[in-house]
């Protein structure tokens, strides 16, 4: 264990985080997808678009594991899947903002509607998870 810490610190200093960040993205995608499922289920999946982040989460997790195990997958599957997750997160942010606007009083009652309406910043968490995958795909691989 003692020899691993200096090696890990060296990898971080030299931008060699591809495998680690791929695995972290994979875990983040699973946790986020589970949370999204619970929240969207609470809303009875009232819009079919609510299924997209639930479906993309496990797919992104698989891409993260593939990026961890295969350098080739880290440069093909991982960035493609991560870009899809980022796009979906940005779309979700728009849809949540639109949901707040459609509540009685809309943005004129922003203090109340942001708290009681769809969570405005939650889809940005999905975007961040996708961004981790995009970042992992451009970093150098650990030795």
């Amino acid at each position: 264990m003692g020899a691993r810490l200096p090696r890990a610190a060296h990898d971080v200093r030299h931008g060699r985080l591809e495998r680690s960040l791929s695995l972290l993205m994979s875990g983040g995608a699973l946790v986020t997808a589970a949370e999204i499922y619970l929240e969207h289920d609470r809303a009875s999946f009232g819009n079919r678009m609510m299924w997209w982040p639930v479906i993309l989460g496990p797919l992104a997790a698989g891409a993260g594991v593939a990026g961890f195990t295969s350098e080739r997958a880290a440069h093909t599957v991982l960035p493609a899947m991560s870009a899809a997750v980022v796009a979906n997160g940005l779309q979700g942010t728009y849809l949540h903002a639109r949901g707040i606007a459609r509540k009685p009083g809309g943005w004129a009652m922003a203090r109340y509607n942001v708290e009681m309406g769809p969570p405005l910043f939650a889809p940005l968490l999905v975007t961040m998870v996708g961004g981790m995958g995009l970042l992992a795909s451009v970093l150098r691989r650990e030795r």
Side-chain angles (χ1 to χ4, degrees), residues 2-103:
R4 288 184 188 173
L5 287 178
R7 178 87 226 152
H10 179 269
D11 284 343
V12 169
R13 278 195 303 273
H14 295 285
R16 295 185 180 276
L17 288 168
E18 181 183 78
R19 295 181 77 219
S20 301
L21 200 54
S22 293
L23 206 55
L24 282 172
M25 188 277 281
S26 180
L30 285 178
V31 169
T32 305
E35 177 65 23
I36 291 167
Y37 174 79
L38 294 173
E39 290 300 316
H40 285 181
D41 184 52
R42 201 169 93 187
S44 302
F45 287 94
N47 182 337
R48 283 185 282 168
M49 298 298 279
M50 291 177 159
W51 282 103
W52 278 104
V54 174
I55 293 166
L56 286 174
L59 294 174
V65 170
F68 176 78
T69 59
S70 164
E71 188 170 2
R72 184 174 186 176
H75 296 287
T76 55
V77 176
L78 182 61
M81 200 65 235
S82 297
V85 170
V86 167
N88 183 251
L90 294 174
Q91 176 192 35
T93 303
Y94 165 76
L95 292 173
H96 281 212
R98 188 178 75 174
I100 291 168
R102 289 181 174 180
K103 294 204 66 71

